[in-house]
Amino acid sequence: MATYKPVVVQGFLKLGERITQDTVYWRGYKTPVQIKEFGAVNKIDFSPVSPYNYAVTASSRIHIYGRYSQEPIKTFSRFKDAAYCATYRDDGNLLVAGSEEGSIRLFDVSGRAPLRQFDGHTKPVHVVGFLSDMYRIFSAGDDYASSLWDIPSGTEIISYNEHTDYVRCGCPSKVNADVFITGSYDHTVKLFDTRMKSSVMTIEHGQPVESVLLFPSGGLLVSAGGRYVKVWDVLKGGQLLVSLKNHHKTVTCLCLNSSGQRLLSGSLDRHVKIYSTTSYKVVHSFNYATSILSLALSPEDETIVVGMTNGVLNVKHRKPEVRKEKSVKKRQPAYRTYVKGRTYMPKQEDFCVSKPVKRVLRKYDKLLKSFQSSKALDAVLEPPIRLYTPEVTVAVMQELHRRGTLRSALAGRDEKQINLLLTFVARRVIDPRFTSTLVTVADIITDIYQPVVGQSAVVDRQFLKLQKAIGKEIDYQEELLEVLGMMDTLFATFTRKRATYLEESKSNGLGETIETSMDN
C-alpha cells in the first residue's frame, strides 16, 4: 500500500512591514489607560517641572493628573461655563485658562481659588498662555482680538484687532519674551511683537488655522488647518518650506518631542502622525477610537496623552527599560563535540540502523486519507484557517478537484454552509493567487444549487455579491488591457523613432564618407 502524501500548500511571498528605529521606539509604549472626562477634551498641557503633572481642560473643569494617576489630584471648577486652554507657566507654579464668558483666570497650582481675573474680551477666550518672561499673559478669542496682560497689576497692556474671524490657537516664543503668534479661522497666522503697535508678520495658511507651534529655536513655525500641516521659515519672512497632507480630515493639534526631532499631529481622522523634522516624512502613526482634539507629550517623552471628542483621555506610558543582569555563562562543549561523527562514512561490514520519522498529519489530511471529502472541506472552512490561511483552504479544494470528488464535497449542504462557502469564494476569487481554483468552485456551486435559487434570501444575497465581485474584476481587467494597449503603442512608437534616428545617422555618415572619398 502506497504511503499517503499530505496536501502541498503552495507558499506565497508576503510583504512584511518595514521595521525602523522609529517603529521600535514608538511601539515601546504600554497598553493605553482610558480616563473618562465630563466633555470633549480641548487642551492638555504638561507641567515643565518634575513630577510632570498634566492639566486637562474639558467642559467647565480643569483636572490636574499625576503621571500615573487615573483620578485627578486637583480640580479647578470656578467656571460658570466651558473652560479653555489651561496652560502652565514655565516654573510650573501658575496655571492660566480662558473661558466661555470671556474672562481669563490665573490659578496657583497649590491653591483652588483664582489669584487674578482678567476681563476685557467680549466673547469666549480660546487661547491663553504665558510669555517667556513669565510676568505677562497673551490671550485671543472669538471677538477677533489678541491681548497682552500684566500679571502683577492685572491690567491690559495692549490689544490687537487684526484678525477678521475667530482666533482659536496661539503660542509664545521661547527665545524672545516679546513675541507671540496667533492663528485664526480667517486663514492667517500673525506674529506679534509687544513692542510694536501692529503685527510684524502675516502668513497665509489657506485654511482655517486650528493649531500653531514654534520650534524651540524660534526660526521655524508650524501651522495646522484643514488637512494640511505647513512649515514656515520665520527668519526668511515667512517662506513656506514644506506642506504636508497626510491626514484625511482636519488636523486639530500639534506637538514636538523633547529633542525637537519629531513632530506629532492629531486629526479628526482618529490618527496621530509622527514626522521626522529633517525629512518631514511620516515615520510612525497611532490609531485611536474617535476623533482627536488635543495632544501632549511629556517633557521626557515618557507619556503620550490624547484627548478625544467623546471626552475620553487616552494615556500611554513608555515601558521601563529592562536591564539584563550579567550571568555567568556556563562553559559550552567545543564545536568538534557537535560535529563528531557527522562525516563518518559506513563501511561494508557496518550495520546501519535508521530511525523511522513519524509524520504528524493535520486534521484535513487525516480526513482526506480516509476519503472523507466533505468533512475535509468543512475542516478547512473553520474560521482560523479560512480567515488567516486561505491558501490552505484553496489547496484542499484543488486536491479534491484533482481527485474528482470536489462536486460531491460541495453538494448536500444546508443554507448556513452554502452561505459560508459563497462568502469565502466571493471574498477570495479576486485574489490572483486563488482565482483559477475558485472560479472552478464557483462554477460547480452555481451548477449544483441553481434549482434552489430564490428559496433563501441569504443565499441569494451571497450569489449577488459573487456576481458583483466577478463583474468588478472583469471591468478592472478590461481597463488594464486598454492601458496595456496604450503602453504597447507608446513603446512601439518610441522604438520606431529610435530605429529611424539610427538609420538616418548611418545614412548621413555613409554620405559623408562617400563625399570625402570623392573629394580626395
Side-chain angles (χ1 to χ4, degrees):
M1 183 177 177
T3 308
Y4 172 79
K5 294 181 180 179
V7 174
V8 178
V9 179
Q10 187 178 356
F12 298 97
L13 293 174
K14 291 183 178 179
L15 294 175
E17 183 184 357
R18 187 182 175 188
I19 304 297
T20 62
Q21 290 184 352
D22 279 285
T23 308
V24 175
Y25 179 82
W26 293 106
R27 280 185 178 175
Y29 284 88
K30 297 179 185 177
T31 305
V33 175
Q34 306 278 356
I35 302 172
K36 181 64 179 174
E37 284 289 337
F38 291 95
V41 181
N42 63 72
K43 176 71 175 180
I44 304 166
D45 191 56
F46 273 92
S47 172
V49 297
S50 183
Y52 306 121
N53 296 335
Y54 56 94
V56 177
T57 313
S59 185
S60 60
R61 302 184 183 191
I62 301 169
H63 286 157
I64 308 295
Y65 288 91
R67 184 186 287 189
Y68 298 104
S69 66
Q70 295 185 27
E71 294 293 332
I73 58 177
K74 185 178 283 291
T75 301
F76 298 103
S77 57
R78 302 293 181 92
F79 296 92
K80 296 178 182 177
D81 208 330
Y84 298 112
C85 198
T87 307
Y88 277 101
R89 195 166 72 170
D90 286 346
D91 59 2
N93 293 326
L94 296 181
L95 191 73
V96 66
S99 64
E100 183 71 22
E101 60 262 26
S103 61
I104 302 159
R105 290 179 173 86
L106 183 69
F107 297 93
D108 186 340
V109 173
S110 58
R112 288 191 179 276
L115 297 177
R116 292 276 192 280
Q117 180 168 320
F118 306 92
D119 296 311
H121 286 279
T122 57
K123 288 188 177 179
V125 179
H126 285 265
V127 183
V128 286
F130 292 93
L131 293 184
S132 55
D133 62 5
M134 299 196 294
Y135 296 107
R136 289 177 293 174
I137 293 171
F138 72 94
S139 63
D142 289 355
D143 57 358
Y144 312 162
S146 305
S147 301
L148 190 69
W149 309 85
D150 182 60
I151 294 177
S153 63
T155 58
E156 184 180 74
I157 301 171
I158 192 171
S159 182
Y160 303 96
N161 291 278
E162 298 190 17
H163 285 292
T164 58
D165 206 336
Y166 298 158
V167 186
R168 290 295 173 88
C169 57
C171 66
S173 170
K174 300 292 183 184
V175 179
N176 192 328
D178 294 306
V179 173
F180 69 95
I181 290 169
T182 58
S184 168
Y185 280 5
D186 63 6
H187 301 191
T188 63
V189 176
K190 291 187 180 289
L191 188 146
F192 295 97
D193 188 328
T194 58
R195 296 164 294 187
M196 310 294 288
K197 293 184 178 179
S198 62
S199 62
V200 294
M201 187 183 298
T202 300
I203 296 171
E204 183 67 35
H205 179 82
Q207 286 85 23
V209 183
E210 297 284 351
S211 182
V212 289
L213 179 70
L214 261 178
F215 274 67
S217 64
L220 296 179
L221 167 69
V222 187
S223 62
R227 294 170 56 192
Y228 294 89
V229 175
K230 296 184 179 182
V231 184
W232 312 85
D233 191 336
V234 177
L235 302 179
K236 290 186 178 180
Q239 179 183 340
L240 178 64
L241 295 181
V242 65
S243 179
L244 308 170
K245 191 181 178 183
N246 297 98
H247 287 283
H248 302 295
K249 290 184 180 179
T250 301
V251 183
T252 55
C253 48
L254 297 169
C255 173
L256 275 175
N257 74 335
S258 57
S259 65
Q261 295 180 354
R262 294 293 180 266
L263 172 67
L264 288 76
S265 65
S267 167
L268 296 179
D269 64 3
R270 305 182 296 107
H271 286 85
V272 170
K273 304 283 185 183
I274 303 169
Y275 307 88
S276 166
T277 54
T278 53
S279 63
Y280 292 106
K281 291 182 179 178
V282 176
V283 295
H284 196 67
S285 178
F286 289 115
N287 189 16
Y288 289 87
T290 55
S291 300
I292 297 166
L293 282 182
S294 51
L295 165 70
L297 196 59
S298 65
E300 295 179 346
D301 299 343
E302 194 271 339
T303 308
I304 298 176
V305 185
V306 171
M308 291 173 272
T309 53
N310 61 353
V312 171
L313 203 63
N314 186 293
V315 185
K316 288 183 180 180
H317 299 285
R318 280 200 68 79
K319 297 174 184 175
E321 293 183 2
V322 180
R323 294 183 179 178
K324 294 182 179 179
E325 297 180 0
K326 292 183 179 179
S327 58
V328 180
K329 291 185 177 180
K330 293 182 179 179
R331 187 175 177 274
Q332 299 292 332
Y335 177 70
R336 63 176 178 272
T337 307
Y338 293 105
V339 297
K340 187 177 180 181
R342 186 168 293 181
T343 58
Y344 178 79
M345 296 297 293
K347 297 177 182 178
Q348 189 175 1
E349 61 272 12
D350 289 341
F351 180 76
C352 298
V353 179
S354 59
K355 187 178 180 180
V357 180
K358 187 178 179 181
R359 182 175 289 175
V360 179
L361 296 177
R362 296 185 180 275
K363 184 180 178 181
Y364 57 84
D365 275 320
K366 291 178 182 178
L367 293 168
L368 285 172
K369 186 179 179 181
S370 58
F371 304 102
Q372 300 181 57
S373 304
S374 185
K375 289 184 178 180
L377 185 58
D378 290 338
V380 293
L381 286 172
E382 292 293 326
I385 298 177
R386 183 182 79 242
L387 297 175
Y388 302 110
T389 54
E391 58 272 13
V392 175
T393 307
V394 175
V396 170
M397 289 178 173
Q398 200 168 0
E399 176 63 18
L400 292 172
H401 182 58
R402 187 187 68 80
R403 293 184 177 193
T405 57
L406 180 59
R407 189 179 187 88
S408 60
L410 293 170
R413 294 181 174 270
D414 58 18
E415 182 185 40
K416 186 178 179 181
Q417 292 173 326
I418 298 169
N419 181 36
L420 190 65
L421 268 170
L422 287 172
T423 303
F424 176 79
V425 173
R427 182 179 297 177
R428 301 292 180 179
V429 72
I430 58 175
D431 192 326
R433 302 176 296 170
F434 313 135
T435 300
S436 58
T437 304
L438 293 183
V439 164
T440 305
V441 173
D443 190 24
I444 295 172
I445 292 173
T446 307
D447 189 33
I448 294 172
Y449 296 103
Q450 187 179 5
V452 297
V453 171
Q455 296 180 14
S456 169
V458 177
V459 175
D460 291 348
R461 199 180 304 117
Q462 291 301 329
F463 270 119
L464 289 172
K465 283 185 180 179
L466 177 60
Q467 182 187 12
K468 188 177 180 181
I470 293 174
K472 275 188 177 180
E473 186 64 21
I474 291 170
D475 291 341
Y476 291 148
Q477 295 289 343
E478 287 176 354
E479 289 177 9
L480 284 173
L481 286 172
E482 289 178 7
V483 173
L484 284 172
M486 295 176 192
M487 293 174 70
D488 287 341
T489 307
L490 288 172
F491 292 147
T493 306
F494 293 149
T495 307
R496 197 178 301 115
K497 283 184 178 180
R498 186 178 178 186
T500 308
Y501 173 75
L502 290 172
E503 286 175 5
E504 289 178 356
S505 300
K506 286 180 181 179
S507 60
N508 291 337
L510 182 60
E512 288 174 4
T513 306
I514 293 169
E515 288 175 5
T516 307
S517 60
M518 287 180 68
D519 291 339
N520 293 335

